[in-house]
Amino acid sequence: AQSVAQPEDQVNVAEGNPLTVKCTYSVSGNPYLFWYVQYPNRGLQFLLKYITGDNLVKGSYGFEAEFNKSQTSFHLKKPSALVSDSALYFCAVRHQGKSTFGDGTTLTVKP
Amino acid sequence: GAGVSQSPSNKVTEKGKDVELRCDPISGHTALYWYRQSLGQGLEFLIYFQGNSAPDKSGLPSDRFSAERTGGSVSTLTIQRTQQEDSAVYLCASSKREEGNTIYFGEGSWLTVV
């Protein structure tokens, strides 16, 4: 069985500060890992993914994520948060044809 | 098309009526998924198609829910005898192996059962 955990329901940061949204996973084997963002009343938008290669993955809107195999983590980061980054963020893992999403983390960036 | 297209975008229906939700995936995407999301909540997996077959129907919440896919393209999710607890956003998504199986989502169909 595979699973994804986003331990924080809510993350609050001030604009201009770095942000981290945490994700850990459990899967036997090598996973594909994804981050999605959902703005209010919209569908999920793909941000970035890790399949293989460099552990640091860069994606849309200045976001990046680091794959850490030993800690089974794939935390989403951004060096300088914007108010417009406020949204619901989902981490997902795909393995052997099955995709599993985390419960989501609401990011609020305050001016 | 350029993205996953879903219709209707909004549907208000009376309890007990049947509804059909349509999904048109990205052209060439062989895999198609349906998820359900209650207000501000996480994603609930409903069903997955590979081509026209559904190897995983494990998420359908009851026998009132069914889905089909024809021609390896358009899919319809049908909810019979709707109940108020069916009110949610129904998200469709598609993917293909050549793109690393990245799942791309539509904007959703917002269903309200009154």
Side-chain angles (χ1 to χ4, degrees):
Chain A
Q2 61 190 48
S3 64
V4 176
Q6 293 182 240
E8 303 156 315
D9 291 336
Q10 183 105 21
V11 170
N12 298 312
V13 298
E15 187 174 30
N17 283 0
L19 70 87
T20 299
V21 183
K22 295 180 180 177
C23 172
T24 59
Y25 65 92
S26 175
V27 67
S28 56
N30 296 317
Y32 292 3
L33 295 159
F34 303 83
W35 275 102
Y36 290 83
V37 59
Q38 185 178 33
Y39 297 102
N41 303 320
R42 303 294 302 278
L44 276 70
Q45 295 180 31
F46 167 72
L47 270 181
L48 51 79
K49 68 182 176 188
Y50 171 83
I51 296 178
T52 187
D54 194 348
N55 289 344
L56 184 65
V57 178
K58 294 187 183 296
S60 306
Y61 311 121
F63 283 94
E64 58 188 29
E66 186 166 13
F67 171 62
N68 188 318
K69 188 170 184 177
S70 63
Q71 296 185 4
T72 61
S73 67
F74 190 57
H75 301 332
L76 182 69
K77 300 183 179 184
K78 187 172 182 180
S80 179
L82 300 173
V83 172
S84 57
D85 293 330
S86 299
L88 182 57
Y89 290 81
F90 291 96
C91 180
V93 61
R94 183 179 180 91
H95 184 57
Q96 295 183 338
K98 184 177 172 68
S99 293
T100 302
F101 285 79
D103 289 335
T105 298
T106 299
L107 171 68
T108 302
V109 181
K110 297 184 178 178
Chain B
V4 178
S5 178
Q6 292 188 245
S7 62
S9 54
N10 283 284
K11 175 75 176 178
V12 179
T13 190
E14 293 181 352
K15 179 181 173 181
K17 301 273 188 178
D18 297 352
V19 295
E20 285 189 351
L21 307 176
R22 175 188 167 105
C23 174
D24 202 341
I26 295 172
S27 178
H29 280 200
T30 54
L32 185 146
Y33 314 78
W34 283 100
Y35 292 86
R36 181 168 71 174
Q37 185 180 29
S38 299
L39 188 61
Q41 300 300 307
L43 298 177
E44 177 186 2
F45 170 79
L46 298 179
I47 189 169
Y48 152 65
F49 288 92
Q50 183 63 43
N52 290 334
S53 64
D56 190 349
K57 302 180 182 179
S58 62
L60 293 176
S62 76
D63 59 7
R64 295 187 295 105
F65 287 73
S66 63
E68 65 175 15
R69 188 181 186 194
T70 55
S73 182
V74 172
S75 175
T76 303
L77 177 69
T78 301
I79 309 172
Q80 295 178 310
R81 306 181 301 282
T82 52
Q83 303 294 314
Q84 286 186 329
E85 61 262 29
D86 299 335
S87 296
V89 179
Y90 291 82
L91 293 167
C92 179
S94 68
S95 70
K96 68 176 182 181
R97 185 186 303 272
E98 293 80 1
E99 294 178 359
N101 287 310
T102 301
I103 296 176
Y104 294 95
F105 286 81
E107 293 294 320
S109 289
W110 295 70
L111 176 66
T112 304
V113 182
V114 297

